[in-house]
Amino acid sequence: MAMAPYRVLIAYASTSESTQGIAEEIAAALREDGFDTELRPAAEIVSVGPYDAVVLGGELRGNRWHRDARRFARRHAAQLRSRAVWFFSNGSGTPDASAGDGVDAPPVPGARRAIDRAGARGHLTIGGRPGRLPRGPFTRSAAPGGFSADHREVSRIRDWAHHIANEVSNF
């Protein structure tokens, strides 16, 4: 009898489509690794009970993690502590401009508090410089009205997601 795949929630909080696009890349990579993933806005999540693992992403603006991401982490802290959890941040509000060059910037204070509260296993910052991930659809190729994401960033996101898959399998 085959074992049911792990269920992973990928929640995101953003006013733009870039953070959702990153969440979609994470979900796709996890699906490739055999995981059952659900992708939803963080504000819509009532419970994390049905999931084995959670990935929460929040947009950054002015050195602040998106309010819905902070609220999600606070509201579900007890359940998150008993699961494998990772967070990511996206946007030009990162305090360290090196994040867009393959070097991960530290989480902003609001994300750091959420990481500590939830006992998250890791954090990834995407797009540490203004203009690195502009507003609009997060696509791998240029499209009318869209933009072309830096291939190195997409590779970092997918590599990180595959790392998560490995960690969840060993949780």
Side-chain angles (χ1 to χ4, degrees):
M1 181 177 192
M3 190 171 139
Y6 290 102
R7 294 194 67 208
V8 181
L9 170 65
I10 298 98
Y12 59 91
S14 180
T15 57
S16 72
E17 294 177 9
S18 293
T19 305
Q20 179 180 347
I22 292 167
E24 289 168 355
E25 284 291 333
I26 293 167
L30 290 172
R31 282 187 207 109
E32 289 171 9
D33 290 334
F35 289 85
D36 176 13
T37 65
E38 185 171 343
L39 179 73
R40 303 215 2 234
E44 294 179 4
I45 308 300
V46 176
S47 171
V48 298
Y51 306 99
D52 300 300
V54 176
V55 178
L56 172 62
E59 176 183 42
L60 294 170
R61 291 287 172 118
N63 204 33
R64 294 197 60 157
W65 210 34
H66 194 281
R67 178 182 54 195
D68 289 346
R70 294 190 318 264
R71 286 180 178 170
F72 177 96
R74 251 191 330 271
R75 187 172 50 244
H76 302 291
Q79 287 184 317
L80 291 173
R81 280 191 297 275
S82 65
R83 283 162 180 71
V85 177
W86 289 265
F87 292 159
F88 71 88
S89 300
N90 167 54
S92 60
T94 60
D96 182 347
S98 65
D101 296 322
V103 178
D104 198 25
V108 296
R112 169 51 56 203
R113 284 189 296 278
I115 289 166
D116 294 343
R117 186 179 294 122
R121 294 170 160 240
H123 175 272
L124 179 68
T125 301
I126 303 296
R129 290 189 299 235
R132 174 60 86 180
L133 290 174
R135 287 177 154 321
F138 186 83
T139 60
R140 289 188 203 166
S141 61
F147 68 93
S148 182
D150 184 317
H151 177 70
R152 291 170 300 172
E153 292 290 7
V154 173
S155 293
R156 282 183 68 222
I157 294 163
R158 294 183 66 76
D159 288 349
W160 189 66
H162 291 306
H163 169 77
I164 289 171
N166 186 51
E167 290 284 320
V168 171
S169 296
N170 295 314
F171 185 65

